[in-house]
Amino acid sequence: MIDQADKNGPGVKFPPPLITLALIFIGWLLDQLLALPIAQQTAVAGAILLLASAAIIAGITAFQFFQAKTHIEPWKPTSTIITRGVYRYSRNPIYLAFCIATPGAGMLLNSWWVIAMVLPLIYLLQRLVISREEKYLEQKFGQEYLAYRDSVRRWI
């Protein structure tokens, strides 16, 4: 049962996957204006490695949300703090996966512009999503969340 005061979760307004896709698109547009290509032979292998790693991390994380029976969407309330699996190493494994996938997409698109979009992505995720989530989790779970936050790094 969701507490009425908690029905809006952390109040995230921009879905993180859309932020990621928008920045990849902006990088691609910049590349159309002023191409900054990468050496193609190494880029494809690197792209596959990064995109596969990101997909594995995101898939494992999504499965952990499913197992915990809590919302994966950051604009919905959460019922628990997940501290096992990938959450033992990162408090934000899905966002980490987005940050790994972005340079992978850049390598696949043969664009340094897209790779460079990982920097604004990290900034926007921190400002628009992570800071709200952390505040929400601290208010909702108190000392339990603070202990977890103090024992696991934000990214890796």
Side-chain angles (χ1 to χ4, degrees), residues 44-117:
V44 173
I48 291 168
L49 178 66
L50 290 175
L51 292 170
S53 298
I56 290 167
I57 292 168
I60 290 169
T61 305
F63 183 70
Q64 287 188 259
F65 273 88
F66 175 75
Q67 282 184 316
K69 295 179 175 68
T70 191
H71 294 287
I72 194 169
E73 304 92 343
W75 54 89
K76 292 184 178 178
T78 189
S79 59
T80 189
I81 299 172
I82 303 171
T83 60
R84 57 183 176 71
V86 291
Y87 281 93
R88 290 181 301 169
Y89 308 103
S90 172
R91 295 195 316 260
N92 298 290
I94 289 181
Y95 306 145
L96 177 61
F98 294 162
C99 292
I100 292 170
T102 299
M107 294 171 111
L108 197 62
L109 295 170
N110 194 25
S111 170
W112 281 109
W113 285 110
V114 176
I115 290 172
M117 289 297 114

Side-chain angles (χ1 to χ4, degrees), residues 6-151:
D6 187 31
K7 71 179 186 175
N8 293 326
V12 172
K13 305 214 183 305
F14 303 100
L18 292 182
I19 295 170
T20 306
L21 291 173
L23 286 170
I24 289 171
F25 181 70
I26 289 168
W28 178 81
L29 284 176
L30 287 169
D31 196 67
Q32 301 310 299
L33 296 172
L34 177 65
L36 293 176
I38 303 165
Q40 193 62 19
Q41 287 106 350
T42 58
V44 173
I48 291 168
L49 178 66
L50 290 175
L51 292 170
S53 298
I56 290 167
I57 292 168
I60 290 169
T61 305
F63 183 70
Q64 287 188 259
F65 273 88
F66 175 75
Q67 282 184 316
K69 295 179 175 68
T70 191
H71 294 287
I72 194 169
E73 304 92 343
W75 54 89
K76 292 184 178 178
T78 189
S79 59
T80 189
I81 299 172
I82 303 171
T83 60
R84 57 183 176 71
V86 291
Y87 281 93
R88 290 181 301 169
Y89 308 103
S90 172
R91 295 195 316 260
N92 298 290
I94 289 181
Y95 306 145
L96 177 61
F98 294 162
C99 292
I100 292 170
T102 299
M107 294 171 111
L108 197 62
L109 295 170
N110 194 25
S111 170
W112 281 109
W113 285 110
V114 176
I115 290 172
M117 289 297 114
V118 75
L119 297 174
L121 176 61
I122 291 168
Y123 174 79
L124 289 172
L125 287 174
Q126 178 59 42
R127 285 286 283 178
L128 301 175
V129 182
I130 295 171
S131 62
R132 291 174 184 258
E133 287 182 340
E134 289 180 342
K135 184 177 175 183
Y136 164 75
L137 293 170
E138 183 176 343
Q139 288 174 347
K140 180 165 183 170
F141 296 103
Q143 190 55 44
E144 179 186 0
Y145 174 71
L146 292 174
Y148 171 67
R149 184 196 68 191
D150 291 345
S151 66

